[in-house]
Structure formats: structure tokens, C-alpha cells
Amino acid sequence: DVKVTQSSRYLVKRTGEKVFLECVQDMDHENMFWYRQDPGLGLRLIYFSYDVKMKEKGDIPEGYSVSREKKERFSLILESASTNQTSMYLCASTLLNTEAFFGQGTRLTVV
Amino acid sequence: ILNVEQSPQSLHVQEGDSTNFTCSFPSSNFYALHWYRWETAKSPEALFVMTLNGDEKKKGRISATLNTKEGYSYLYIKGSQPEDSATYLCAPYSSGDKLTFGTGTRLAVRP
């Protein structure tokens, strides 16, 4: 069974904290993605990576950074969490032109 | 930002009705078009990945068509069932390995 695993289902963090969201896939996929999902806004792309150490900004990268030191792991970093980053975060991985597989999501609350 | 539009935003149908949704996307730099079903409290799951103009794919009662020249895809559900209730997302895969989602069509099927 293919798997994309996100490190936490629920997180509560304080404003100003540095937050790490981890995503690991076991399918040897080159491409990995981070999205956030907010009511009425669908899935919005934050960052993606098409290879180790490579990263590209998505549509809403402000306030976020990413790290991909190993092929199977893609980390999303909130340098200084703010309340407007309260959201559901989804990680996905894929090969070009094949279906994407998603993690179970991390619901982050910033208080 | 890649402009991906889905219509309608939401749809309520009676069990047994057939229905269809539209996804429109920029036709330039096109690699593939993905369709996903997203049920509440679950992660999105792939329905189809289509790459060629004129592609038609079918999975049970659900089928999809693709027109890459004019930049649209249709998803059809024949004889809707309550278990088809979900949000249906399309995502064009463009050059640069970017997978961008539309805001989705929320389908509710009444028994």
C-alpha cells in the first residue's frame, strides 16, 4: 500500500512559535507538495519540490518555508506562526502524469 | 497563479439523477489533468489522470472527458448515489511540475 504520512493530525501552537510539519512518502516519488485548505478556498499550493534540495514557490508561500534534504521527506516550516495560519495542511506526492497521493492532513491551530 | 475554474460550486441532486461538472484551465504548458474525489474527514483520492486531447476515462458510473485545445474537462456521474456525495476537484498539471487545484464542486445526493 502506498503511503504518505504526516507527522501530526492535530497541532496547537502559540503565536510566534516556529512550527515544523513533516511529510514522508514511501513511493520514491520525485514531486512533493504542501497545500492548505480553508473553507470556500479549496486547496491552495504553498510550496512544491521536484527533487532533493529543490523547491519552488506555490501560490501562497508568504510566511512559509520548506526543506527537502531526502527524497522521501518534505517539511513545511512556519518561521513565526500567526493566527491566520490556522488551517488544515495537506501533503501530497506524485510522479509526473500519475495520480497524487495525499497524507491524512494536519489541522493546525495557532493561538 | 494558474486560473482553474470549476462549475458549479455546489450541486444538490436526487438519488438516481445523472449529473456533470466542468473544469476549465489554461491550455498552455499542459501536461495532464487530474480529477479527485474528496469526502469529508478523508484525504482526496484520485479518480482519473488524463493527458491526451480527446481522452475519455471511465470508472464504474463516473466518466471524464478532456479537451486540451480549449482547456476544459467534464466529469459525469450516471445514476448518482448518496455515497457519491463529496467534493470533486480537478487539477491541471502544468510545466514546472506544478499541481494546482480548482476550488471544487460540492455534490450532495439526496436519498
Side-chain angles (χ1 to χ4, degrees):
Chain A
D1 241 6
V2 296
K3 249 196 173 150
V4 179
T5 304
Q6 293 181 228
S7 51
S8 306
R9 288 297 299 268
Y10 301 95
L11 272 180
V12 180
K13 296 291 181 181
R14 294 194 180 277
T15 301
E17 273 193 79
K18 190 169 186 175
V19 181
F20 292 86
L21 302 183
E22 306 285 347
C23 176
V24 178
Q25 50 97 2
D26 64 0
M27 295 163 284
D28 204 34
H29 284 170
E30 281 92 8
N31 299 337
M32 296 186 75
F33 306 83
W34 275 106
Y35 299 90
R36 65 177 281 178
Q37 188 252 332
D38 301 287
L41 297 176
L43 284 173
R44 292 184 292 166
L45 182 62
I46 305 171
Y47 265 97
F48 65 103
S49 168
Y50 54 88
D51 204 349
V52 176
K53 297 192 186 293
M54 305 305 289
K55 58 186 179 185
E56 295 285 342
K57 291 180 181 179
D59 299 321
I60 51 163
E62 296 78 21
Y64 303 95
S65 62
V66 290
S67 172
R68 191 154 180 213
E69 296 297 317
K70 293 185 178 181
K71 191 175 186 179
E72 66 270 20
R73 185 180 296 269
F74 192 35
S75 303
L76 180 69
I77 304 157
L78 287 65
E79 295 290 342
S80 177
S82 64
T83 54
N84 63 14
Q85 292 177 311
T86 291
S87 187
M88 170 70 87
Y89 290 87
L90 281 162
C91 172
S93 74
T94 183
L95 293 170
L96 185 63
N97 288 352
T98 65
E99 64 185 287
F101 292 88
F102 285 82
Q104 75 277 32
T106 297
R107 185 165 292 283
L108 172 67
T109 303
V110 182
V111 297
Chain B
I1 294 180
L2 198 64
N3 191 22
V4 184
E5 294 184 1
Q6 290 190 246
S7 62
Q9 283 191 341
S10 65
L11 200 52
H12 290 77
V13 301
Q14 197 68 37
E15 182 176 355
D17 287 351
S18 294
T19 187
N20 64 84
F21 326 133
T22 304
C23 171
S24 62
F25 53 89
S27 53
S28 57
N29 302 318
F30 174 85
Y31 280 173
L33 191 283
H34 294 214
W35 279 102
Y36 292 82
R37 174 166 61 202
W38 194 3
E39 296 178 67
T40 304
K42 294 186 178 180
S43 299
E45 291 185 349
L47 289 170
F48 305 112
V49 176
M50 295 186 288
T51 56
L52 299 175
N53 185 45
D55 252 357
E56 291 187 27
K57 294 218 171 176
K58 189 174 181 183
K59 186 184 285 188
R61 294 179 291 100
I62 304 177
S63 59
T65 61
L66 177 66
N67 183 322
T68 60
K69 292 184 179 178
E70 295 180 46
Y72 65 84
S73 176
Y74 295 134
L75 188 80
Y76 301 91
I77 302 179
K78 186 178 177 182
S80 302
Q81 299 297 308
E83 59 264 31
D84 296 328
S85 297
T87 297
Y88 291 83
L89 300 167
C90 73
Y93 211 143
S94 64
S95 64
D97 299 318
K98 194 175 183 181
L99 187 63
T100 302
F101 284 84
T103 52
T105 293
R106 185 178 298 174
L107 174 67
V109 182
R110 293 186 297 268

